[in-house]
Amino acid sequence: MEKVSTGGQRFLALDALRGIAALWVVYFHIYGGLGYLAVDFFLVLSGFILAHRYLYGAKSSTPLEFINHRIARLYPLHLYTLLMFVAVHWWLYAVMPDFPDGALFTFVQNLTMTHSIGLNPQGLTWNYPSWSISVEFWVNVLFIFVITRNTRSGTLFLAGTLGVIVLFMQHGHLNTHVENYFGFLNSGLLRGMSSFVLGILAYRVYLFYRDDPRVGQCAAWLELMCLALVLGIIWSRTGRSMGMDVFVPYLALLMVAIFAFEQGWLSRGLRKLAYLGEISYSVYLNHLVVLMLVRHFAKQNGWDKPVVLGLTLLIVVIYSHFTHRYLEIPLGKQARRGLAWLTTKPQREV
């Protein structure tokens, strides 16, 4: 979850969409519904961003440099929010949570970002939205070693589609993250890989049509088409059509590629909400702790769900502004410098 730029110009509409998706996750954890699909959007967008920066960027990076960058980007805030979850849970309940896979065992997994690769198949643990951060990191590692500019788009499409088919056949929809298939294949990791490679395709679509004047002529209609498809997925996600959400990664591919052009009135309007995208990683990882606290006071004061939702959104946006500015950014920079110092061979004096 990070802002993306090209030639110094950020994709502000994509930033805004990412921020809206993060708030949708907050809504999901209060009212239920389809907010879990925001994760698939995040992972498609991650594929788009990393393809832009590392596959097609002007400056090349070694695999070790890339991994250092990803650790510096993802880990500091993940660690902070994990420790905040521990502190708040203890303050509220005076006891640590009891997970089927073991509290200590799963805590160590969270510390090492290995908590969603199949080692704890009996349920989510600790700051549980962070399961997708574990998936994203390990999918990113696979990406830097396996995928290059020469990787065929057809291969990426088939890999993503095969993953979606397995998820559908095994689970019936995309709301899965801890189950292991065939004794070794983690559903969350498979879900992340499928969406991520489709995100790389989204970037290639963007590159192919970037200078095509027809994009500007059709942009408004294409954006409205994406909005209509989103509403269609939401409407169809009931009864016999529950499995329709398996098409969401493909819809996310279209949305990311189309809104990246920022040539329609909808995308230009979204640019005004770009700051939500800047703080979206903080919103995503902070919101569970905030929700736990709001629910604690809601129970004491008899607040209903609309009040809980309003307070949670207000508090988490304000709180995330400060964690983004004073923790996420500076700690990420320090981690990047520290990892570079640790992994760079010292120059020998001549």
Side-chain angles (χ1 to χ4, degrees):
M1 295 183 185
E2 56 191 298
K3 56 191 177 185
V4 59
S5 61
T6 177
Q9 177 63 45
R10 283 170 46 194
F11 292 109
L12 297 177
L14 295 184
D15 272 347
L17 287 175
R18 184 178 56 248
I20 293 169
L23 297 181
W24 191 22
V25 175
V26 180
Y27 177 91
F28 168 68
H29 284 141
I30 297 173
Y31 278 97
L34 300 174
Y36 63 88
L37 293 173
V39 170
D40 302 280
F41 175 79
F42 292 147
L43 288 161
V44 169
L45 186 55
S46 178
F48 181 96
I49 292 171
L50 297 189
H52 166 77
R53 288 187 173 175
Y54 294 98
L55 281 187
Y56 296 93
K59 184 179 179 181
S60 61
S61 299
T62 66
L64 182 58
E65 288 172 336
F66 173 84
I67 293 171
N68 284 349
H69 294 171
R70 300 313 295 156
I71 293 173
R73 176 69 184 97
L74 298 173
Y75 191 75
L77 192 68
H78 164 66
L79 177 61
Y80 167 77
T81 53
L82 171 63
L83 297 178
M84 283 300 297
F85 178 92
V86 172
V88 169
H89 193 283
W90 179 263
W91 181 73
L92 291 176
Y93 307 109
V95 66
M96 286 294 98
D98 183 20
F99 300 116
D101 291 303
L104 179 59
F105 178 58
T106 55
F107 185 75
V108 172
Q109 289 175 35
N110 275 263
L111 284 177
T112 56
M113 287 200 297
T114 57
H115 52 294
S116 195
I117 60 173
L119 301 177
N120 55 309
Q122 299 185 69
L124 297 176
T125 63
W126 301 97
N127 188 28
Y128 53 81
S130 72
W131 73 268
S132 66
I133 308 307
S134 170
V135 165
E136 181 172 356
F137 174 72
W138 293 106
V139 167
N140 290 171
V141 171
L142 183 65
F143 153 77
I144 199 62
F145 285 107
V146 174
I147 298 174
T148 69
R149 287 192 186 187
N150 296 324
T151 303
R152 293 181 179 271
S153 294
T155 302
L156 296 175
F157 182 81
L158 287 175
T161 299
L162 179 60
V164 170
I165 290 173
V166 172
L167 289 166
F168 180 73
M169 293 181 65
Q170 292 291 322
H171 209 74
H173 52 79
L174 291 183
N175 192 14
T176 175
H177 22 61
V178 298
E179 294 83 1
N180 288 332
Y181 303 144
F182 319 117
F184 70 95
L185 184 60
N186 178 255
S187 62
L189 207 54
L190 181 63
R191 182 178 165 191
M193 179 277 295
S194 301
S195 293
F196 184 87
V197 296
L198 292 176
I200 298 173
L201 284 180
Y203 189 74
R204 288 183 173 180
V205 170
Y206 167 77
L207 283 182
F208 187 81
Y209 288 103
R210 182 170 53 183
D211 299 319
D212 193 324
R214 292 174 295 179
V215 172
Q217 298 168 7
C218 302
W221 291 107
L222 290 172
E223 291 172 7
L224 286 173
M225 178 193 72
C226 288
L227 179 60
L229 289 172
V230 169
L231 295 176
I233 291 289
I234 293 173
W235 174 81
S236 66
R237 182 60 169 86
T238 57
R240 296 180 180 179
S241 301
M242 287 183 64
M244 290 292 288
D245 64 3
V246 297
F247 293 105
V248 165
Y250 303 96
L251 175 55
L253 185 162
L254 288 174
M255 287 189 67
V256 168
I258 290 169
F259 279 80
F261 294 109
E262 298 186 355
Q263 295 195 38
W265 61 266
L266 187 54
S267 60
R268 289 196 295 267
L270 282 171
R271 289 166 59 92
K272 298 176 182 179
L273 300 176
Y275 185 68
L276 285 177
E278 286 193 44
I279 65 172
S280 61
Y281 187 48
S282 283
V283 168
Y284 184 73
L285 287 182
N286 282 330
H287 82 269
L288 180 60
V289 165
V290 173
L291 181 56
M292 288 166 59
L293 290 168
V294 172
R295 280 177 168 163
H296 173 73
F297 291 105
K299 188 175 181 180
Q300 293 179 345
N301 295 280
W303 299 336
D304 56 10
K305 281 188 176 181
V307 175
V308 171
L309 176 63
L311 282 174
T312 302
L313 289 174
L314 177 63
I315 295 170
V316 79
V317 167
I318 295 173
Y319 177 42
S320 296
H321 163 78
F322 288 100
T323 58
H324 171 72
R325 183 170 181 177
Y326 298 108
L327 291 174
E328 183 182 339
I329 292 177
L331 290 180
K333 290 179 178 178
Q334 291 179 20
R336 194 163 175 167
R337 288 195 295 266
L339 288 168
W341 180 79
L342 285 173
T343 57
T344 301
K345 292 182 179 180
Q347 297 290 333
R348 292 184 177 181
E349 295 184 4
V350 179

